[in-house]
Amino acid sequence: TARHTSYSSQTVELQLTGSNDFMSYVAGYYQFDDDAFTDNPQSGFLGGFSIDQKYSGGGDASAIYAQVTFDIGDRTDITVGSRKTEEDKKGYASYSGFWTVDQERSDSNTSNTFIISHQLSDSTNIYAKAADGFKAGGYNTEASNPAQAGAGYGPELIESIEFGLKGRYMNNRLSLNAAFFDNEHEDMQISYFTADAAAASEVINNSADISGLEIESMTMINDSTTLTLNVSTLDSEFTGNKFASDGFLLENIPYSPETTIYASLEKDY
């Protein structure tokens, strides 16, 4: 088994930023083009079988966006933003020259953000955020059969809310950040490993709800010693009932540990 891949990409971004006495703003245009090709020949032990699989994928994505932050009094800010995205994706797969898949699709979306933050005191800031997001659909041309490669997968949408606190205390020796978030994913794109035909995988759209609490702190114990302590919890579950091609129900969201703890003590000499 061998895998030879070539990849190229190009990114262009134009941005305008500015501010005045009561607001700051940013607006811009973004474009991303990429293309990949893989030659993936496979053969069995002692030449028992031979598969000449070739696949490629790529796309063109463009977006315009703008975000404005308004100063509401001395201690309160309101931020509103929007992004309009259009993406074209293509997928090609050839299986020993007998079956060929060549597909294209287009997705578009407008995502918005709203944030309000308030300076409770000189050391404490609180905020609330509501936003939605988008991830375009595409093609899994590495799939083990033409049907899966040609079917593709749909876009993923997300609606999120977040409430948080950021503060500096003890004469700026303690930095503390805390946030609660809830993300509702519609048609979340899940990569599912099937171990079929040279360890192929499939991409499945399944809705999910992920919420959690994150607490991060950094304390300067003295001029040469810093203690970092981070704790996070996650409550994640699929809200859709989707089955993989091997018949198993999708139950566990990858990379979603219930509890994560990180601690470090750093001393300079």
Side-chain angles (χ1 to χ4, degrees):
T1 299
R3 180 175 295 182
H4 309 285
T5 298
S6 61
Y7 178 78
S8 63
S9 66
Q10 177 178 292
T11 303
V12 175
E13 184 167 7
L14 303 175
Q15 195 173 91
L16 173 68
T17 61
S19 62
N20 54 36
D21 293 339
F22 63 91
M23 74 174 186
S24 59
Y25 58 88
V26 58
Y29 170 80
Y30 173 84
Q31 181 175 335
F32 176 77
D33 306 326
D34 71 334
D35 189 73
F37 177 82
T38 297
D39 184 9
N40 185 203
Q42 305 161 36
S43 59
F45 184 66
L46 297 178
F49 67 89
S50 178
I51 301 174
D52 183 19
Q53 183 177 0
K54 295 179 173 62
Y55 50 89
S56 66
D60 303 321
S62 62
I64 55 174
Y65 59 89
Q67 181 169 294
V68 183
T69 299
F70 298 96
D71 298 330
I72 310 299
D74 295 334
R75 292 182 173 269
T76 304
D77 294 334
I78 292 179
T79 299
V80 292
S82 186
R83 180 186 182 98
K84 179 175 177 56
T85 303
E86 295 185 356
E87 291 198 36
D88 299 321
K89 292 288 186 69
K90 57 185 179 181
Y92 168 84
S94 174
Y95 299 83
S96 297
F98 294 104
W99 301 281
T100 299
V101 175
D102 193 357
Q103 300 275 36
E104 293 184 4
R105 64 171 295 135
S106 297
D107 292 306
S108 62
N109 174 266
T110 299
S111 301
N112 303 295
T113 300
F114 177 83
I115 307 170
I116 182 170
S117 63
H118 180 70
Q119 194 75 27
L120 277 179
S121 65
D122 292 340
S123 59
T124 303
N125 179 275
I126 59 174
Y127 67 91
K129 177 180 180 181
D132 49 28
F134 159 79
K135 186 178 181 181
Y139 297 97
N140 180 28
T141 53
E142 196 177 358
S144 60
N145 62 77
Q148 288 185 5
Y153 51 90
E156 175 182 343
L157 303 175
I158 179 174
E159 294 182 353
S160 68
I161 58 171
E162 182 177 337
F163 303 95
L165 174 148
K166 298 178 183 291
R168 300 185 70 87
Y169 309 100
M170 299 168 52
N171 293 323
N172 291 328
R173 301 181 76 89
L174 168 62
S175 172
L176 178 65
N177 299 328
F180 168 81
F181 64 90
D182 181 76
N183 298 335
E184 294 185 2
H185 297 260
E186 180 182 345
D187 293 329
M188 186 179 189
Q189 297 169 1
I190 301 296
S191 180
Y192 183 87
F193 181 69
T194 61
D196 182 29
S201 63
E202 60 180 311
V203 179
I204 305 171
N205 288 112
N206 197 18
S207 296
D209 189 3
I210 303 175
S211 60
L213 175 67
E214 298 179 342
I215 300 175
E216 302 175 344
S217 68
M218 180 178 291
T219 306
M220 292 187 63
I221 298 175
N222 54 46
D223 292 342
S224 62
T225 307
T226 302
L227 172 66
T228 301
L229 180 61
N230 301 335
V231 179
S232 64
T233 63
L234 277 180
D235 181 11
S236 58
E237 63 176 350
F238 285 118
T239 55
N241 295 316
K242 292 293 184 69
F243 289 84
S245 60
D246 57 11
F248 285 94
L249 176 69
L250 297 185
E251 295 182 297
N252 298 316
I253 298 177
Y255 312 113
S256 300
E258 291 185 358
T259 304
T260 302
I261 299 175
Y262 171 83
S264 72
L265 184 65
E266 180 179 340
K267 183 173 179 60
D268 294 331
Y269 292 94

